[in-house]
């Protein structure tokens, strides 16, 4: 249709054929996403499946879609510290560091010992040069366990300390 308009009618356009061509989100989806989506059809409020789906998109570097999926998981389970912390990691990948920090702090309100949130917050403190906060948060993070999910480079770097 646009081609026809731009050519001022010189180019003939089959509008019926163009209307049938629909973009499909699944066309560019990671291969693991298909199986998870099928399961979500049966249990659309399953937070673990939503988080697994978000992780597949993070591995595929589709951070925007991962963020949307994690936001849905938080709608279903608003006090879920693990999902909130994973959202923080996604925000780090998107370079939205201020919102990532807020997400980690929200996760720690729900679970003060969440390892994913503690490691993420420690990485941000290190990145911005807050040495005292970094040291104290790193000590708490080490005592809480290992973070889960795809790790942003900032977290992977301090995890080996």
């Amino acid at each position: 249709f646009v081609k026809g308009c731009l050519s001022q009618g010189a180019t003939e356009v089959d509008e019926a054929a163009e209307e049938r061509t629909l973009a499909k989100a699944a066309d560019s989806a990671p291969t693991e996403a298909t199986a998870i989506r099928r399961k979500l059809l049966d249990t659309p409020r399953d937070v673990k499946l939503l988080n697994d789906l978000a992780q597949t998109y993070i591995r595929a570097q589709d951070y925007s879609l991962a963020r949307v999926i994690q936001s849905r998981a938080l709608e279903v389970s608003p006090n879920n510290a693990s999902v909130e912390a994973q959202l923080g990691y996604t925000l780090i990948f998107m370079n939205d560091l201020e919102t990532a920090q807020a997400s980690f702090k929200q996760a720690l309100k729900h679970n003060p010992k969440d390892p994913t949130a503690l490691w993420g917050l420690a990485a941000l403190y290190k990145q911005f040069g807050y040495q005292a906060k970094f040291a104290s948060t790193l000590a708490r993070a080490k005592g809480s366990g290992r973070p889960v999910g795809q790790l942003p480079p900032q977290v992977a770097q301090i995890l080996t300390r």
Side-chain angles (χ1 to χ4, degrees):
F1 179 75
V2 173
K3 289 178 189 175
C5 290
L6 291 175
S7 71
Q8 297 177 346
T11 303
E12 205 168 307
V13 177
D14 182 3
E15 290 181 30
E18 286 203 13
E19 286 179 2
R20 281 179 280 170
T21 307
L22 300 174
K24 296 180 184 175
D27 287 348
S28 63
T31 53
E32 314 99 58
T34 306
I36 297 170
R37 282 187 174 154
R38 282 193 194 114
K39 292 177 186 175
L40 278 168
L41 290 174
D42 295 330
T43 56
R45 297 178 61 86
D46 186 329
V47 175
K48 184 185 178 325
L49 283 176
L50 287 167
N51 197 42
D52 290 347
L53 184 61
Q55 290 299 309
T56 63
Y57 282 100
I58 290 170
R59 283 190 294 278
Q61 297 181 348
D62 189 346
Y63 306 121
S64 296
L65 191 51
R67 182 179 185 178
V68 169
I69 295 165
Q70 289 165 328
S71 295
R72 172 63 183 145
L74 286 171
E75 285 175 14
V76 171
S77 180
N79 297 328
N80 191 317
S82 178
V83 173
E84 189 76 54
Q86 287 295 319
L87 176 59
Y89 280 7
T90 302
L91 293 165
I92 288 177
F93 281 120
M94 296 175 78
N95 204 30
D96 187 353
L97 305 180
E98 212 171 284
T99 310
Q101 180 185 19
S103 190
F104 294 137
K105 287 184 175 184
Q106 184 66 31
L108 291 171
K109 283 182 184 176
H110 301 306
N111 177 5
K113 295 183 179 183
D114 185 87
T116 304
L118 287 168
W119 283 101
L121 198 54
L124 290 179
Y125 286 149
K126 180 180 185 336
Q127 183 169 350
F128 290 111
Y130 297 116
Q131 292 304 321
K133 286 184 176 184
F134 167 66
S136 67
T137 307
L138 182 63
R140 287 177 57 204
K142 286 181 177 180
S144 69
R146 292 189 58 82
V148 296
Q150 289 295 117
L151 303 180
Q154 298 92 322
V155 176
Q157 182 184 27
I158 66 167
L159 193 59
T160 59
R161 291 181 134 226

